[in-house]
Amino acid sequence: MITILAGGTGSVKLVRGIATQTRDISVISNVGDNYWLYGLYICPDIDTILYGLADILDTDKGWGIKKDTYGFLRQMEVLGEETWFNIGDRDAAIHLLRTNMLKNGKNLSDITEWMCRKFAIDVKIIPVTDNSVETRIVTNKGDLHLQEYWVKYKGQDKVEGIKYIGADKARANPAAVNAIHDSKLVIIAPGNPLTSIGPILSIKGIRKELSKSKKKVVVVSPLIGNTAISGPATKYMEAAGMEVSVYGLAKMYSEVASHMVIDTADRLLTRKIENLDMKVYETKIRMKDKKDEEALASFILKQVHV
């Protein structure tokens, strides 16, 4: 079995690529950017993996359902509600069902498993915890939920820090811990290190199991040079006092991983990363299409020896 730690739009590309090579996969999903809106419980990272594996993801945007309509959102606007979070009609149906199931006593793990069956997905999608964890961005104007900071206010304010509210008390999903333990390879997908992967690592049970299993853990870089392939990773890294480079990433991940895949453009940092006791693999990591996704997945499975 292969386990992938995933969050954000970069992760789903690698998950899809790995799924073309094997179906014996578990995906541990970030829940830190889950958000309550209009009385609905929205799980962006879980849904992106769900839609990606079901082949209904809007790949142009990297999230949501392709060819979705927006009658619900237009009606909310008519009624005077804020409409900064772009929820499609089919997407809203997923959020509504999830919310009703939560209110009827189901936990997020059970609901996600049910949704996988409904979409005929044989890959296991595992929320990292069934407890509430909320990623909050500390800015010079106060702190905001990640969705508010990045979507509503378009990341305009200066970032001074990042907090994972509830992570210290959250219980790691036993299925996630078991997946890490039982896997022959654990991949940390190229998600934003602080807002997509960071909330997963902030949960003690997950971090402890990864540390024990680090010899079989490989990180895929979300950076090329000092630039993120997508999203605001560099902005968050700077706020956290991290060096914005694959070496800075390697230092962050060195406690939980012993392998790292970087782009060939960063090969000058290979020896420096290896001094952290991490084995480095160099290849083209940018995934512009499904061919690239499959190529990177194939490279990882063939070249990374644990």
Side-chain angles (χ1 to χ4, degrees), residues 250-269:
K251 285 201 293 185
M252 170 185 165
Y253 286 123
S254 60
E255 291 183 8
V256 296
S258 57
H259 306 263
M260 189 171 193
V261 177
I262 67 173
D263 195 84
T264 51
D266 287 316
R267 59 163 53 102
L268 291 179
L269 290 172

Side-chain angles (χ1 to χ4, degrees), residues 4-25:
I4 307 170
L5 274 61
T9 57
S11 293
V12 69
K13 296 179 180 181
L14 185 59
V15 170
R16 277 195 311 234
I18 297 290
T20 66
Q21 312 292 311
T22 176
R23 303 305 290 185
D24 193 9
I25 305 169

Side-chain angles (χ1 to χ4, degrees), residues 216-236:
K216 62 182 181 182
V217 181
V218 55
V219 178
V220 181
S221 173
L223 301 180
I224 299 177
N226 60 359
T227 303
I229 295 174
S230 66
T234 57
K235 187 172 186 175
Y236 296 147

Side-chain angles (χ1 to χ4, degrees), residues 1-5 24-28 123-126 179 183:
M1 181 173 69
I2 293 170
T3 291
I4 307 170
L5 274 61
D24 193 9
I25 305 169
S26 292
V27 177
I28 299 174
V123 170
K124 296 182 183 70
I125 303 176
I126 306 168
S183 289

Side-chain angles (χ1 to χ4, degrees), residues 223 237 241-249 251 269 272:
L223 301 180
M237 290 175 71
M242 294 174 60
E243 177 182 317
V244 182
S245 69
V246 290
Y247 179 68
L249 283 170
K251 285 201 293 185
L269 290 172
K272 194 174 180 182

Side-chain angles (χ1 to χ4, degrees), residues 35-40 42 61 63-65 68-93 95 151-152 154:
Y35 191 69
W36 284 95
L37 185 67
Y38 309 137
L40 303 176
I42 302 169
K61 293 187 297 189
W63 48 268
I65 298 176
D68 210 343
T69 54
Y70 293 88
F72 167 80
L73 206 62
R74 284 196 296 270
Q75 187 61 39
M76 294 300 284
E77 187 174 24
V78 168
L79 295 170
E81 296 295 319
E82 292 185 328
T83 56
W84 54 269
F85 199 91
N86 210 12
I87 302 174
D89 298 332
R90 295 169 66 194
D91 200 21
H95 307 325
V151 183
K152 186 175 183 178
K154 305 187 185 307

Side-chain angles (χ1 to χ4, degrees), residues 246 260-274 279-285 296 299-300 303-304:
V246 290
M260 189 171 193
V261 177
I262 67 173
D263 195 84
T264 51
D266 287 316
R267 59 163 53 102
L268 291 179
L269 290 172
T270 292
R271 182 160 300 205
K272 194 174 180 182
I273 296 170
E274 288 177 338
K279 171 69 176 172
V280 179
Y281 307 82
E282 302 162 4
T283 189
K284 294 294 184 183
I285 63 171
L296 181 56
F299 176 87
I300 293 168
Q303 299 298 321
V304 178

